[in-house]
Structures are given as structure tokens and as C-alpha cells.
Amino acid sequence: MLTMKDVVREGHSSLRKIANEVEIPPSEEDKQLLNKMMEFLVHSQDPEIAEKYDLRPGVGLAAPQLNVNKRMIVVRTTDQNEELLEYALFNPKIISHSIETTHLESGEGCLSVDREVPGIVPRYARVKIEGYDLNGEKVVKRLRGFLAIVFQHELDHLNGIMFYDRIEGDDPYKVPLPPNEIIKRNEQDSPLS
């Protein structure tokens, strides 16, 4: 069983590496690890088990957080209809996204970060993702809202990016303009010749 002792913390070199693709079909070893990662989320969300094993509750986990340099993530949370959703994917990636951005009002947290980092973390409001499930079958999903934010947070881990890298340094609570608003402002500021 995975515990918080297995989760590496900020400053660890594995959190800053670009993870390697997993060979598809996945090996038994990779499948077992993905299952253990999901089991960790299940346990961390169960108040009794979490207290017994001193687990911090999590909604997502990426293999680099376990010092495993592979493109593997798990996500377990509810959608806007309170329906439980679980995703365990190899080689996940965003294949399209909205121009519109969003963020969590309360900011983001991370199992690999033992401190609060205040600030707005801009994310795409909607994403279409692709990856491979435990059987090596291709999965394509459209995600929005909180679920889209969680996926982007975990995908960042596969690329050596921490959530606080996306916070505006000079003004952590600055709400970034959507790309189309930046274009409109630039057009207004500079007269056409």
C-alpha cells in the first residue's frame, strides 16, 4: 500500500523531469503501479483509512510524484452532478482545449507540496484528453470545470511543472486575461495603419 512516505516532495529532482512514455500495451508492472496509485486516492479519500495511515486527501496523482519517471496519472473525483469519476491513464495528453480559462478560487494544492501557496493558477476551462487505460485501449474524454483543472495539474507533473510555476510572480492574485481579450486590447491600443 502506498502512503505519504512514498510521495516525493518539492525540491526532489523527479518533479522537474519530463516523464517518459509508457510502452503500450502496458507491462504487468506498470498496470500494478497504476492500480496502486488509484488505491492511494481511494484510501486518501476515506476519512478512517486516511487518519489511520496519516494520508492527505488527494484527487489526483502522477507517477513522478512517486519517483517514477513515467507518463502515468490517476484522477478520482466527482463531476458537477456528484457522480464519482475515476481515470487511470498511461500517456495522457491534451489534444484540444478551450480559449476560455478558469481557476480555483481557493487556489491549488499538491500532495508533493507541504505548504500553502496562495495565488491564481490559470487553467483551460475545457480540455479534450487522450490516453490509454489499463488494458491498453485508447480513451478520449472531454472534460470541463474542476475535472479539467485536476487533469491539467497532473499532466503538468508529467512535464516537470509545479502548479505554482503558473502563478503570476509579481501579483499572485492577478486573474489572467483570456487570450482573445488580450488580442482585443492590443487592437484597441494600436491604431491600424
Side-chain angles (χ1 to χ4, degrees):
M1 174 181 154
L2 295 174
T3 68
M4 290 304 296
K5 291 185 181 91
D6 298 298
V7 178
V8 298
R9 303 308 204 279
E10 63 180 321
H12 194 286
S13 62
S14 72
L15 295 174
R16 291 302 187 176
K17 290 178 183 165
I18 294 177
N20 297 316
E21 293 266 321
V22 174
E23 203 169 300
I24 302 297
S27 67
E28 281 307 311
E29 183 184 341
D30 287 340
K31 288 184 195 179
Q32 284 176 11
L33 178 59
L34 205 59
N35 278 323
K36 282 183 179 179
M37 289 166 64
M38 181 60 77
E39 181 185 69
F40 174 89
L41 293 186
V42 171
H43 290 160
S44 79
Q45 293 173 17
D46 180 309
E48 282 183 29
I49 296 174
E51 186 177 347
K52 181 177 179 180
Y53 294 102
D54 197 25
L55 304 177
R56 283 178 40 205
V59 292
L61 185 65
Q65 293 179 273
L66 301 172
N67 197 22
V68 176
N69 192 29
K70 292 185 176 183
R71 299 186 84 78
M72 301 165 60
I73 67 166
V74 291
V75 171
R76 185 178 196 266
T77 187
T78 54
D79 65 9
Q80 60 275 10
N81 302 320
E82 296 302 308
E83 184 183 331
L84 179 65
L85 299 172
E86 293 182 331
Y87 295 101
L89 296 173
F90 298 107
N91 304 333
K93 62 183 176 185
I94 293 174
I95 53 176
S96 66
H97 60 78
S98 63
I99 291 173
E100 179 190 359
T101 58
T102 189
H103 62 275
L104 294 178
E105 288 297 324
S106 57
E108 291 186 20
C110 181
L111 293 169
S112 293
V113 179
D114 293 330
R115 61 191 173 100
E116 264 191 54
V117 183
I120 288 173
V121 182
R123 301 288 187 188
Y124 296 118
R126 293 176 305 284
V127 293
K128 184 176 180 183
I129 60 112
E130 175 184 289
Y132 295 88
D133 66 14
L134 280 163
N135 300 316
E137 301 290 324
K138 187 183 276 193
V139 175
V140 178
K141 294 282 180 191
R142 292 180 189 276
L143 311 173
R144 62 187 179 78
F146 182 68
L147 191 55
I149 290 170
V150 174
F151 259 89
Q152 290 170 79
H153 178 110
E154 299 312 323
L155 289 174
D156 272 355
H157 277 305
L158 303 183
N159 294 315
I161 299 167
M162 299 295 284
F163 74 93
Y164 48 74
D165 296 341
R166 297 190 178 279
I167 297 172
E168 185 76 38
D170 298 333
D171 184 1
Y173 290 101
K174 178 181 176 188
V175 178
L177 288 173
N180 58 345
E181 283 298 312
I182 294 168
I183 292 166
K184 283 181 196 169
R185 283 197 174 182
N186 287 343
E187 287 171 356
Q188 289 169 354
D189 294 342
S190 58
L192 298 172
S193 49

